[in-house]
Amino acid sequence: MAKQTLSEKILARSSGRSRVSAGEIITAQVDRAMMDDILGPKVVDKPFSELNMPIWNTDRVVIICDHYAPSGTINQADIVAYTRKWAREHGIEHYFEGEGPCHQILAEKGFSLPNTLLLGTDSHTCTAGAFGCFGTGIGSTEMAGVLATGSIWLRVPESIRITWNGTLQKGVMAKDIILKVIGDIGHAGATYMALEFGGGTISGLSMDERMCICNMAIEAGAKAGLIPADEKTVRYLSDHGVAWNGTFLQPDEDAEYVQIKNYTGEDLEPQIALPHNVDNVVGISEAPRRAVQRAYIGSCTGGRLSDLASAANILRGRKVCKDTKLLVSPASQRIWKEAASLGILQDLAEAGATILAPTCGACLGVHSGLVGEGEHCISSTNRNFKGRMGSKNSFVYLASPISVAASALEGRLADPRDYL
């Protein structure tokens, strides 16, 4: 009998079966459905209304306004108002507005749980994989069906095994791990597959770092990115008021993978994705020392407490280059408060950073700090295609929060190891 990958085990549970195999079409029961403002109720309402059915379980639905909150235009404000009204009219208790990017809120509120199936109207829903949760993005029409039935058809994905062992050198973060993997696999190299991460390096990472890795699985085309849950997962949930005492699912040793890639932590240097593709990745030692006019630390990829603290360690007692503007957006209201109480935001502000609200705005170039024509921006976010953070004639480089911090100091692409 064939052994199973982690995604196969989770989807077997969701479909009420003892096992499933890659390539099968299954009907899966949804544990949690998330809609954001940009692709949520405003888009879902028409197809959902045409079904003429009630929401299958209002307690299983989460609505989060993050892309357009705080609103930067009248149209954005109208969409947020519509979303708020829709949630109230449909009896959705789990409604959050202005508290931060949806994937961070899902984690903090205990909705990203091990062994469960979480679907969201945002491609980076795969962030939940850091909790051993099969999280994936779906379209708004698909979400209408989920709202009505609580189920969805899914093709069980094939899996790629990514193993990291060894100790990361100082100046290297989780963002560097996932950029290295995407650079090797390519932006479409894992299309409709599950990226399954393991090894001593991965198990040694904090939950903050694991979320960063799984968040960017979609940037290789993956349906999901998964890291098995463990005691660190349970502690994170407990620290956020969620008690969980289930069974830790692990992939079988002889599970079938379409590809297995092995990496050594000690060999990794800080990575950077050059414009305009997320897989255009080089080590920082190979990157041009290009001047940058903008630096950004934040989003559901690089704005967590450990990210802000690491950046502050580099910036403390120093000043951002006068020709570079550094923006910082904590990944949630909770993180904003924690960073403020620890003096981290003070350190960042004194170095010259502008502290923003917890929002998706700058990451996708809709408000809170767009990048202008001809400007170069180094960012801890997840995408760098043309126009992603503002002008179609701007240039975005993706790197870790500490690489962003070091670059903000020098006013050019810089190696964070020079400041450690």
Side-chain angles (χ1 to χ4, degrees):
M1 185 177 290
K3 303 296 185 180
Q4 291 192 293
T5 64
L6 182 54
S7 66
E8 288 169 345
K9 289 187 175 185
I10 296 172
L11 292 179
R13 172 204 164 275
S14 299
S15 60
R17 296 169 53 181
S18 60
R19 61 187 306 104
V20 298
S21 301
E24 278 191 84
I25 304 296
I26 62 170
T27 299
Q29 300 304 307
V30 179
D31 294 289
R32 194 69 62 179
M34 185 279 296
M35 291 187 287
D36 58 16
D37 46 6
I38 195 169
L39 291 174
K42 186 72 173 176
V43 184
V44 169
D45 187 51
K46 186 175 187 297
F48 176 66
S49 298
E50 290 174 350
L51 292 173
N52 196 29
M53 296 170 68
I55 292 177
W56 104 97
N57 187 333
T58 56
D59 190 53
R60 298 290 184 94
V61 178
V62 182
I63 298 179
I64 302 172
C65 287
D66 55 358
H67 290 68
Y68 292 159
S71 302
T73 67
I74 294 172
N75 181 58
Q76 291 173 14
D78 289 343
I79 290 174
V80 170
Y82 185 97
T83 304
R84 188 189 309 122
K85 180 172 179 284
W86 195 96
R88 183 172 61 250
E89 290 178 344
H90 288 78
I92 307 299
E93 295 295 327
H94 303 307
Y95 173 80
F96 307 95
E97 181 180 326
E99 293 197 33
C102 53
H103 314 299
Q104 182 65 28
I105 301 306
L106 288 170
E108 291 182 1
K109 303 297 183 181
F111 298 126
S112 302
L113 293 176
N115 311 339
T116 63
L117 174 61
L118 187 159
L119 304 179
T121 57
D122 187 278
S123 59
H124 292 105
T125 303
C126 52
T127 307
F131 294 81
C133 167
F134 192 99
T136 193
I138 61 173
S140 298
T141 303
E142 289 177 294
M143 182 56 74
V146 169
L147 291 177
T149 67
S151 63
I152 191 170
W153 287 357
L154 287 174
R155 177 162 61 86
V156 179
E158 297 175 307
S159 296
I160 297 176
R161 176 72 177 176
I162 308 291
T163 302
W164 282 83
N165 284 303
T167 303
L168 298 177
Q169 59 178 284
K170 287 185 177 182
V172 176
M173 301 183 73
K175 182 64 169 286
D176 301 304
I177 288 177
I178 190 60
L179 284 178
K180 175 64 176 176
V181 171
I182 294 169
D184 288 351
I185 291 177
H187 70 273
T191 299
Y192 209 98
M193 298 180 188
L195 290 181
E196 193 174 285
F197 297 90
T201 308
I202 302 298
S203 61
L205 296 176
S206 68
M207 292 305 299
D208 280 2
E209 295 170 301
R210 295 179 190 185
M211 281 190 270
C212 171
I213 288 174
C214 291
N215 173 275
M216 290 191 66
I218 183 63
E219 307 311 330
K223 186 70 173 172
L226 290 163
I227 296 174
D230 57 17
E231 292 299 335
K232 287 184 179 179
T233 314
V234 176
R235 283 197 298 274
Y236 181 98
L237 292 171
S238 178
D239 289 344
H240 290 78
V242 180
W244 187 87
N245 58 359
T247 300
F248 296 135
L249 292 183
Q250 295 282 342
D252 293 326
E253 276 193 29
D254 298 326
E256 185 174 335
Y257 296 98
V258 295
Q259 192 176 2
I260 297 175
K261 298 185 73 65
N262 297 302
Y263 295 90
T264 302
E266 287 88 351
D267 295 340
L268 185 65
E269 68 170 319
Q271 304 287 295
I272 186 165
L274 307 176
H276 295 282
N277 295 298
V278 69
D279 57 359
N280 187 17
V281 177
V282 298
I284 193 66
S285 61
E286 304 172 57
R289 290 298 187 253
R290 171 78 65 180
V292 292
Q293 293 75 44
R294 183 70 57 84
Y296 181 75
I297 297 172
S299 87
C300 60
T301 313
R304 300 183 179 90
L305 188 64
S306 60
D307 299 321
L308 303 183
S310 297
N313 286 338
I314 285 182
L315 292 167
R316 188 177 295 113
R318 299 185 171 105
K319 292 292 184 182
V320 171
C321 174
K322 62 181 177 61
D323 295 322
T324 302
K325 186 62 180 176
L326 172 62
L327 304 179
V328 176
S329 176
S332 73
Q333 190 177 79
R334 175 181 175 133
I335 291 171
W336 202 105
K337 291 176 179 177
E338 289 177 343
S341 67
L342 294 170
I344 293 171
L345 296 188
Q346 181 74 19
D347 290 335
L348 295 171
E350 288 183 353
T354 297
I355 311 300
L356 305 173
T359 175
C360 299
C363 177
L364 73 157
V366 292
H367 61 77
S368 298
L370 279 65
V371 182
E373 182 168 355
E375 288 191 316
H376 293 254
C377 172
I378 183 167
S379 174
S380 69
T381 55
N382 44 43
R383 287 179 176 158
N384 66 340
F385 55 76
K386 284 189 176 184
R388 169 64 178 182
M389 296 185 71
S391 170
K392 291 183 179 180
N393 295 314
S394 63
F395 305 83
V396 178
Y397 305 77
L398 303 178
S400 75
I402 57 174
S403 290
V404 175
S407 300
L409 289 175
E410 293 192 19
R412 60 177 185 165
L413 302 182
D415 190 333
R417 294 173 296 183
D418 296 338
Y419 295 89
L420 298 173

